[in-house]
Amino acid sequence: MTASTRDDSVLTPARPAPARAAKSDPDRTVADCVGRLDLDRLRNDYTRQGSFLYLDAFLPADAHAKLADAARRLQPVLNRNYLPGHKQGGSVSRHTIDEQAPYIAELYRSKALIAFLEKMTGDKLMLSPDDDPHAYALYYYTKPGDHIGWHYDTSYYDGRRYTLLIGVIDESSCRLDYELHTRNPDLPDEPGSVQIADGGIVLFDGDKLRHRVTPLGQNEIRVSLTFEYVTNPGMRPWKRFISNMKDAIAYFGFRQVFRQLAARRSSGS
């Protein structure tokens, strides 16, 4: 049994953002961040860990503040979902983000960010298709017990799909637990656990990383942002049907998912 509702809890008021220039360029921001990193060492870490990398400091305070402000503004329109025994929480899809938080979409398309991810993964990356609600999405844990159980982020695309997870708001005891190498018979499983810092990132291949988020406690809040990039945007029709149903039931609701599909068909795209 599943249920889908709007969330009526309230996030804490936004903290005053640090003083910054009126005009922000996400691409320049990312380029500055990447320029301070040892890319060869990080690439080796990513490979050694079986397509997994955690950085506790990536985005600067002003860029993180923009994401946190957007998360608070969008919280009233999130879609809550329950899958008993597996997950509960809230989500806001890229379609709503496009309408109300364009900074997130600009950051997702940053050429400097994509170049950094290509350096880490060794793959040529493409943006997810316009009708993919997971391309960039916010995930909210706002009620006690919100969590997601052990799973892989299975890709239904013809190619690989990579996830970039960004810490946005974490006033919680939640942990991202993970197990490396579970699908590599030549290496033993390697468990780990992180609490993603504000502006920190986790990069991984969802088909390789077994992971979960532990339950939210009383009077806690956790919001994360994910970006999804693919190596081939093609998807077989039967896989698209499965993907759409999963998105509608487990994340964004039927109205959000199928309204966008109907709009796409009516426009002839």
Side-chain angles (χ1 to χ4, degrees), residues 46-86:
Y46 175 84
T47 302
R48 176 179 54 80
Q49 296 177 128
S51 302
F52 173 87
L53 181 68
Y54 170 59
L55 297 179
D56 61 1
F58 185 75
L59 292 177
D62 58 343
H64 165 260
K66 285 181 174 290
L67 299 181
D69 290 346
R72 291 184 171 94
R73 289 198 312 273
L74 290 170
Q75 190 266 343
V77 299
L78 70 83
N79 186 79
R80 284 194 62 86
N81 287 275
Y82 306 84
L83 293 177
H86 180 59

Side-chain angles (χ1 to χ4, degrees), residues 112-123:
L113 179 60
I114 294 171
F116 165 69
L117 299 177
E118 289 180 336
K119 173 70 173 179
M120 295 300 102
T121 64
D123 273 327

Side-chain angles (χ1 to χ4, degrees), residues 27-169:
D27 196 53
R28 182 179 296 275
T29 297
V30 173
D32 290 344
C33 297
V34 172
R36 294 190 290 269
L37 300 175
D38 183 341
L39 298 183
D40 289 335
R41 179 182 65 80
L42 294 178
R43 165 65 179 167
N44 289 337
D45 290 345
Y46 175 84
T47 302
R48 176 179 54 80
Q49 296 177 128
S51 302
F52 173 87
L53 181 68
Y54 170 59
L55 297 179
D56 61 1
F58 185 75
L59 292 177
D62 58 343
H64 165 260
K66 285 181 174 290
L67 299 181
D69 290 346
R72 291 184 171 94
R73 289 198 312 273
L74 290 170
Q75 190 266 343
V77 299
L78 70 83
N79 186 79
R80 284 194 62 86
N81 287 275
Y82 306 84
L83 293 177
H86 180 59
K87 77 179 290 287
Q88 69 178 54
S91 310
V92 174
S93 79
R94 66 92 53 82
H95 305 304
T96 302
I97 290 172
D98 283 342
E99 296 170 354
Q100 302 188 37
Y103 178 80
I104 292 177
E106 293 171 7
L107 183 62
Y108 172 72
R109 293 178 173 85
S110 163
K111 292 181 180 179
L113 179 60
I114 294 171
F116 165 69
L117 299 177
E118 289 180 336
K119 173 70 173 179
M120 295 300 102
T121 64
D123 273 327
K124 179 67 175 177
L125 301 181
M126 304 173 67
L127 303 178
S128 295
D130 290 344
D131 60 356
D132 186 343
H134 281 285
Y136 37 97
L138 287 160
Y139 299 94
Y140 292 74
Y141 295 72
T142 58
K143 295 186 177 182
D146 281 358
H147 73 288
I148 187 167
W150 287 106
H151 68 289
Y152 296 91
D153 288 350
T154 302
S155 173
Y156 294 99
Y157 287 102
D158 293 338
R160 284 179 291 280
R161 183 179 69 174
Y162 293 98
T163 297
L164 181 70
L165 178 60
I166 304 173
V168 178
I169 299 171

